[in-house]
Amino acid sequence: METYLYLTSVVGVYIGIGVFVVGMAWRIYQWSTTPKSPVRLGLFPKPATSTGRGLKMLKDTFVAPHSARIEPVMWGFAFAFHVAALAALIGHGRLVVEYTPLVRLLGGDGMSTFAAWSGGTAGIVMTVAVLFWIARRTYGPFKQLSVPEDYFLLFLLLGIIVMGNHMRFLGHVPVETYREWFQSLLVFRPVMPAEIANSNVGWSLGTHMLFVNVFLVYFPFSKLVHTIGAFSANLVRSE
Ligand code: HEM
């Protein structure tokens, strides 16, 4: 167990984050050095002012009304997934630093209850959304349009989320212990608390991190870069 955790949750995290940062820098360099299209690619109706363009870009990126019109059910699941992913991301921030004002407001127990409910809800919503996407690509017309990468990414996400849910619903390791591990990585003096290794969630943390690392390594080279590319792509739409 110690070796598995060391490989996946110490060495693997450094490799994952390292490849992600270098890969994204390379991507952004590529985007910024690609010659601009001489043809205007904007679609009507186009806002007249640059503020209008900026606001339209934000709306197209965060609300995606064109997707809502074309495939409303898919849009519903996608919207719910992204809101839940944002909530989980904010929750993961506690691995770096405790949200002390919120703890003062809710009390220690109140904060744990809030984290259990919000993290648990986010995990369930994300699971349902990914299962919907897998079903959508497995049955019906989208099967013909799907390539192996689509399934790979969806199963990778499912693996990350299910392992996270296992820790959230069946684990008893307090966030302070996870924080001790994660902060130690950030200051390059890694420790893996024995409490994690000896708990019932040692394997699930290791596997969560194994999948997260693959996700980070793969991210800059996959269609997931839309997370960042969507902003500029949507800006071009109103040029
Ligand atoms: C460096 C990256 C990450 C680290 C260190 C990490 C670590 C953790 C830990 C320690 C937990 C258990 C929290 C607890 O029970 O108190 C957890 C839960 C979870 N993780 Fe991650 N995780 C990472 C990335 C991700 C990613 C990329 C996703 C999804 C795409 C994800 C999805 C989840 C979910 C859904 C849960 C359960 C719900 C929750 O507690 O928020 N994690 N993660």
Side-chain angles (χ1 to χ4, degrees):
M1 169 59 72
E2 276 81 9
T3 314
Y4 183 60
L5 277 173
Y6 181 73
L7 290 176
T8 58
S9 311
V10 175
V11 180
V13 179
Y14 287 130
I15 297 175
I17 293 178
V19 175
F20 177 82
V21 169
V22 175
M24 282 316 296
W26 168 76
R27 265 282 180 195
I28 290 167
Y29 172 77
Q30 257 199 338
W31 286 334
S32 60
T33 52
T34 303
K36 215 166 175 265
S37 164
V39 180
R40 295 230 159 176
L41 301 170
L43 301 170
F44 284 94
K46 290 196 244 178
T49 61
S50 54
T51 316
R53 280 183 69 202
L55 291 175
K56 184 170 186 302
M57 180 268 280
L58 291 177
K59 185 174 157 208
D60 286 349
T61 306
F62 290 109
V63 185
H66 39 284
S67 301
R69 268 193 308 276
I70 297 167
E71 216 191 331
V73 177
M74 204 301 276
W75 178 89
F77 279 99
F79 197 76
F81 176 89
H82 285 94
V83 171
L86 180 64
L89 180 74
I90 295 171
H92 279 65
R94 289 182 83 206
L95 299 175
V96 181
V97 60
E98 181 56 290
Y99 299 130
T100 315
L102 200 56
V103 177
R104 280 208 200 102
L105 190 73
L106 301 176
D109 287 348
M111 184 68 182
S112 301
T113 310
F114 176 66
W117 276 96
S118 51
T121 308
I124 291 172
V125 170
M126 289 167 86
T127 310
V128 172
V130 174
L131 287 175
F132 166 79
W133 284 331
I134 293 174
R136 172 178 169 270
R137 288 195 180 274
T138 309
Y139 309 102
F142 291 100
K143 192 175 164 70
Q144 268 74 43
L145 300 174
S146 302
V147 294
E149 183 195 354
D150 298 321
Y151 296 98
F152 172 71
L153 282 173
L154 287 174
F155 279 102
L156 194 58
L157 270 178
L158 188 65
I160 296 175
I161 296 161
V162 168
M163 290 297 126
N165 286 343
H166 183 262
M167 285 186 279
R168 167 59 64 203
F169 291 117
L170 301 175
H172 303 290
V173 176
V175 68
E176 291 75 18
T177 313
Y178 287 125
R179 190 181 305 131
E180 189 189 334
W181 153 67
F182 199 68
Q183 282 186 344
S184 78
L185 294 182
L186 296 178
V187 294
F188 298 101
R189 278 197 298 272
V191 285
M192 178 52 72
E195 197 182 337
I196 296 181
N198 298 332
S199 74
N200 65 331
V201 292
W203 283 104
S204 37
L205 177 67
T207 312
H208 189 65
M209 293 318 296
L210 175 68
F211 291 147
V212 167
N213 300 335
V214 174
F215 184 81
L216 287 174
V217 167
Y218 192 48
F219 191 101
F221 313 102
S222 72
K223 64 179 183 177
L224 290 167
V225 286
H226 79 269
T227 317
I228 291 142
F231 292 94
S232 48
N234 281 327
L235 201 55
V236 167
R237 285 157 61 96
S238 57
E239 241 178 7

